[in-house]
Amino acid sequence: WMDVETALATENKAEDNTIIDGFKTVDKRVGAYPELDWGPSVASIYDKRSVKMLGGTPVTAEDIKRKALKFADAGSNAKVDVKENGKNTEWPSYTATVSASNKKHTISMDFTKNGGLLISYYDNREVGPAKVSIKGAVTKAEQFLEKKGYPHMTAVSADRYDNIGNLTFVTKQNDVLIYPEKMTIRMGLDTGDTIGFEASEYVNEHKDNRKLPKPKLTLAEARKFLNSDFKEQYNRLSWIKNDDSVEVLTYEFGGGVNGSKYRIYINAEDGIEESVEEIRPSSGSEAK
């Protein structure tokens, strides 16, 4: 996306711009499916955000080098190459590539220029046969997040694809799940180590001590708005962005009807059905 932003900002009109033409095609195709509902637990790809909206003082390449070494735990002798992306555009950032002497692979990280916040992390190692369960991977991911300075995170979904676990975490505040503050973790199920980390939504949406309202409806009152055939498996309070991008407090109900599984979000103030998300099965999928 940074390459796209740069290409759009340039004054040179290339006759054959594969990047822009390709993404325009994707944009047209996505627009042809307005009924597609990704749900609060999936990335909000339609939200328009700008890194310029972030606070914090712009950091230098040397600052990023120190941050990358600390996060990667690669040791002081590791080599770090830092590249600035999107200079003079809406999306300035840095990419740091860490090469440790005791490893045959590299670790790549992206940071915002404003504040030096970590956006993504990728450990480019080969993943072997799975030996760790999804449940074990969730526990290890929680430990990883706590160690790296992301406390109070809760897993809301966990999917297994071959030897990799894809986990979605959100912030938990006063027993309320804060879905806008979302990040995804990729775990190598051979060792249970974190091999990927994507936190752009968390970076853009995180707020300390959000002012959350109390629900006006009781759980029993909110449950009355569900389909009578819905078989409830769990419920919890969740703070989500609705279809109008307005943040609201909801009761989240997980369960099934007609052979399919869903998450249903009922407004905790007036009982409006804010969102319905179908949980599609994948290898080793676990809804949390």
Side-chain angles (χ1 to χ4, degrees), residues 248-266:
V248 294
L249 181 65
T250 68
Y251 283 102
E252 174 188 341
F253 294 95
V257 62
N258 297 328
S260 298
K261 292 185 177 182
Y262 298 91
R263 292 189 183 98
I264 300 176
Y265 301 84
I266 302 295

Side-chain angles (χ1 to χ4, degrees), residues 7-270:
L8 290 171
T10 184
E11 295 180 359
N12 298 323
K13 306 295 183 180
E15 294 182 3
D16 181 18
N17 197 318
T18 305
I19 296 174
I20 296 178
D21 292 345
F23 275 92
K24 283 182 177 178
T25 300
V26 171
D27 187 56
K28 289 179 180 178
R29 289 179 179 174
V30 171
Y33 296 92
E35 74 280 6
L36 191 61
D37 182 9
W38 295 97
S41 68
V42 180
S44 303
I45 63 172
Y46 297 115
D47 288 351
K48 174 64 175 176
R49 296 191 183 101
S50 170
V51 175
K52 287 184 178 179
M53 295 169 62
L54 294 172
T57 304
V59 297
T60 66
E62 284 299 314
D63 294 328
I64 294 301
K65 182 178 180 179
R66 288 190 291 270
K67 287 175 176 285
L69 280 173
K70 182 179 179 180
F71 196 90
D73 288 329
S76 58
N77 293 327
K79 178 182 178 183
V80 184
D81 292 322
V82 178
K83 175 185 176 183
E84 185 173 356
N85 309 303
K87 192 174 183 179
N88 298 323
T89 71
E90 191 179 5
W91 299 91
S93 66
Y94 289 103
T95 295
T97 303
V98 180
S99 304
S101 57
N102 60 340
K103 295 182 180 180
K104 297 180 180 180
H105 57 276
T106 60
I107 296 175
S108 177
M109 284 168 275
D110 290 324
F111 295 85
T112 63
K113 186 170 183 178
N114 289 350
L117 303 175
L118 181 65
I119 305 170
S120 66
Y121 166 95
Y122 179 63
D123 188 339
N124 184 30
R125 73 170 179 85
E126 184 176 346
V127 179
K131 298 178 182 178
V132 179
S133 67
I134 283 291
K135 185 176 181 180
V138 170
T139 299
K140 284 184 172 290
E142 290 171 345
Q143 295 169 350
F144 171 83
L145 291 172
E146 184 75 28
K147 178 182 178 182
K148 297 302 182 181
Y150 301 94
H152 314 302
M153 303 298 293
T154 297
V156 295
S157 69
D159 304 301
R160 175 179 173 178
Y161 297 96
D162 295 326
N163 299 324
I164 294 176
N166 289 330
L167 317 178
T168 301
F169 280 80
V170 300
T171 301
K172 190 173 186 178
Q173 178 182 323
N174 299 330
D175 291 326
V176 179
L177 298 182
I178 313 297
Y179 272 97
E181 297 186 17
K182 181 165 56 246
M183 60 177 62
T184 56
I185 309 291
R186 287 168 59 87
M187 308 294 291
L189 298 181
D190 52 350
T191 63
D193 293 333
T194 300
I195 60 172
F197 172 91
E198 204 290 319
S200 58
E201 290 187 73
Y202 180 91
V203 165
N204 281 278
E205 301 290 349
H206 178 67
K207 299 175 183 177
D208 292 324
N209 298 318
R210 286 174 179 264
K211 294 183 178 179
L212 302 176
K214 297 290 184 181
K216 291 186 177 181
L217 297 179
T218 65
L219 175 61
E221 290 170 335
R223 189 177 280 127
K224 293 179 181 179
F225 292 92
L226 296 171
N227 186 310
S228 59
D229 294 328
F230 183 77
K231 305 300 182 183
E232 180 184 336
Q233 295 179 337
Y234 70 86
N235 64 76
R236 55 198 179 191
L237 284 171
S238 297
W239 183 255
I240 71 169
K241 277 190 177 183
N242 63 18
D243 292 341
D244 296 322
S245 293
V246 177
E247 295 188 2
V248 294
L249 181 65
T250 68
Y251 283 102
E252 174 188 341
F253 294 95
V257 62
N258 297 328
S260 298
K261 292 185 177 182
Y262 298 91
R263 292 189 183 98
I264 300 176
Y265 301 84
I266 302 295
N267 191 300
E269 180 178 350
D270 53 23

